[in-house]
Amino acid sequence: MHKKLGSGLNSELRRVEEKEKENMAITLNNGFKMPIIGLGVWRVQGKEIRDLVLNSIKLGYRHFDCAADYKNEAEVGEALKEAFDGGVVKREDLFITTKLWNSDHGHVLEACKDSLKKLQLNYLDLYLVHFPVATRHTGVGTTDSALGDDGVLDIDTSISLETTWHAMEELVSLGLVRSIGISNYDIFLTRDCLAYSKIKPAVNQIETHPYFQRDSLVKFCQKHGVCVTAHTPLGGAAANTEWFGSVSCLDDLVLKGLAEKYKKTAAHIALRWGIQRNTVVIPKTSKLERLKENFQVFDFEITKEDMELIGGMDKKYRTNQPARFWGIDLYA
């Protein structure tokens, strides 16, 4: 009797765990599941990468957001190999994203293979067009900004985004990539991609947070089956303040007040708000305590009234400004 009861209880617990696991992922338009929270590795270099990746996996992270332009794919690859070889996790348990850099729009296949080699992977779960602009080719594997003599980004007008997208589609046919998507595309560019694509973009990764909500773009993408991933979901915090002189939404009195109400942190509130918008969030940190903190967003829910309160915080305030490095504002 007790054995049967114990067996039944264990089965119920397993069902609950599976349900929770299911709720922590979004099903993309091609049927693949993408964990709703991930870890971005931008601005993390050297030996920090190993500890960051291994610690995050042990904490439960299964989604890692990389890019050729982050210049750390090789280090991420070493950490992933260590995790696989040590039996910490299996390849199929992880969702790995990386991105095509601007200067490689005319060399999509070579760029993808270069990223795979550095990451020591046989396939990518998601490959994104990092920015909707092709620039002068500087050699596969090199991602320095292609600036002209005038200090302005050297944009290549001979390569269309449609051409780039069809090359991305070939990667799926070759089995190198499971899903393809776009990044930093507005409504018009996303609409065009949907029109000319044979394989629809599964994801549009954009900056969005309580100070930069982009409700129309989010709604448009979701209406057309394109999952939105929020990069900079915490408004950039100290990192973007340092790089771009921006202000963080985490210091806003509304978020601080809600943090006190829910007995959470302002970061928890911002991330939970993003999740309840049905967007994937990929906060960045190299600190163990923050890694733990950012993952603790599934044990509470923000009320409809408080979601609306956060909705009133929108300042249409972009914190990530590549114009600082490119001499031209692509968002103008």
Side-chain angles (χ1 to χ4, degrees):
M1 176 69 176
H2 292 299
K3 283 186 178 179
K4 286 184 179 178
L5 182 61
S7 175
L9 185 59
N10 288 336
S11 296
E12 181 60 29
L13 285 172
R14 280 196 295 273
R15 280 195 292 271
V16 170
E17 287 171 358
E18 285 302 311
K19 187 65 177 174
E20 286 179 353
K21 187 176 179 182
E22 205 174 286
N23 290 338
M24 289 169 63
I26 284 181
T27 301
L28 302 178
N29 58 22
N30 55 9
F32 288 107
K33 290 186 180 295
M34 183 180 190
I36 203 164
I37 187 166
L39 178 68
V41 299
W42 184 31
R43 294 185 286 208
V44 185
Q45 301 296 332
K47 294 180 180 178
E48 276 189 312
I49 286 285
R50 176 190 176 275
D51 291 341
L52 177 69
V53 172
L54 293 178
N55 284 331
S56 57
I57 288 174
K58 289 172 184 176
L59 287 170
Y61 285 85
R62 294 295 180 264
H63 174 185
F64 294 90
D65 183 80
C66 314
D69 187 50
Y70 300 167
K71 299 178 175 64
N72 57 13
E73 285 178 316
E75 289 81 3
V76 172
E78 286 295 329
L80 291 175
K81 183 177 186 299
E82 184 174 341
F84 298 148
D85 290 349
V88 179
V89 72
K90 297 177 182 177
R91 168 64 184 99
E92 57 267 28
D93 295 329
L94 298 186
F95 190 101
I96 309 295
T97 299
T98 197
K99 308 178 189 79
L100 173 78
W101 187 237
N102 306 336
S103 57
D104 285 331
H105 278 225
H107 304 266
V108 174
L109 177 60
E110 301 97 314
C112 180
K113 286 183 174 180
D114 184 66
S115 287
L116 283 169
K117 182 179 179 181
K118 288 174 179 173
L119 290 166
Q120 301 190 49
L121 300 174
N122 294 321
Y123 69 90
L124 295 169
D125 294 280
L126 178 64
Y127 196 44
L128 302 176
V129 179
H130 202 151
F131 281 94
V133 62
T135 60
R136 173 173 49 83
H137 185 56
T138 55
V140 171
T142 63
T143 59
D144 293 328
S145 294
L147 300 180
D149 294 335
D150 56 359
V152 175
L153 194 66
D154 195 352
I155 295 174
D156 187 340
T157 58
S158 69
I159 304 172
S160 70
L161 292 177
E162 181 175 356
T163 298
T164 299
W165 187 255
H166 291 321
M168 295 282 286
E169 291 173 326
E170 281 299 311
L171 301 177
V172 179
S173 301
L174 292 170
L176 299 176
V177 174
R178 286 185 168 180
S179 302
I180 50 176
I182 52 183
S183 182
N184 300 302
Y185 276 50
D186 62 17
I187 287 180
F188 299 115
L189 293 174
T190 304
R191 180 264 170 206
D192 278 359
C193 188
L194 288 167
Y196 56 63
S197 61
K198 296 172 186 174
I199 299 175
K200 304 296 182 188
V203 169
N204 186 9
Q205 184 179 127
I206 60 171
E207 177 180 349
T208 179
H209 46 79
Y211 273 0
F212 195 44
Q213 300 189 15
R214 313 181 80 180
D215 204 42
S216 294
L217 177 55
V218 171
K219 286 178 178 176
F220 176 83
C221 287
Q222 292 176 343
K223 182 176 181 178
H224 292 278
V226 180
C227 170
V228 173
T229 294
H231 74 66
T232 325
L234 301 177
N240 278 10
T241 298
E242 179 186 348
W243 276 43
F244 306 111
S246 55
V247 176
S248 172
C249 63
L250 298 185
D251 295 323
D252 193 282
L253 292 179
V254 171
L255 286 191
K256 286 186 172 182
L258 290 173
E260 187 174 340
K261 174 181 176 179
Y262 288 91
K263 294 181 172 53
K264 290 288 184 178
T265 66
H268 283 140
I269 301 298
L271 293 174
R272 183 70 205 186
W273 171 80
I275 288 170
Q276 286 185 214
R277 295 176 88 201
N278 208 33
T279 63
V280 172
V281 293
I282 48 171
K284 302 170 177 65
T285 185
S286 58
K287 298 176 181 176
L288 183 58
E289 285 306 310
R290 289 286 173 81
L291 274 177
K292 293 177 182 177
E293 176 185 315
N294 290 343
F295 209 64
Q296 295 167 349
V297 290
F298 297 103
D299 59 350
F300 76 107
E301 187 171 338
I302 300 173
T303 66
K304 180 182 177 184
E305 291 75 20
D306 288 340
M307 287 291 289
E308 291 172 354
L309 183 63
I310 298 171
M313 290 176 57
D314 193 10
K315 297 181 183 295
K316 296 179 171 52
Y317 182 67
R318 185 188 301 277
T319 69
N320 190 309
Q321 294 285 0
R324 174 186 171 188
F325 307 106
W326 295 348
I328 185 173
D329 185 1
L330 294 182
Y331 303 114

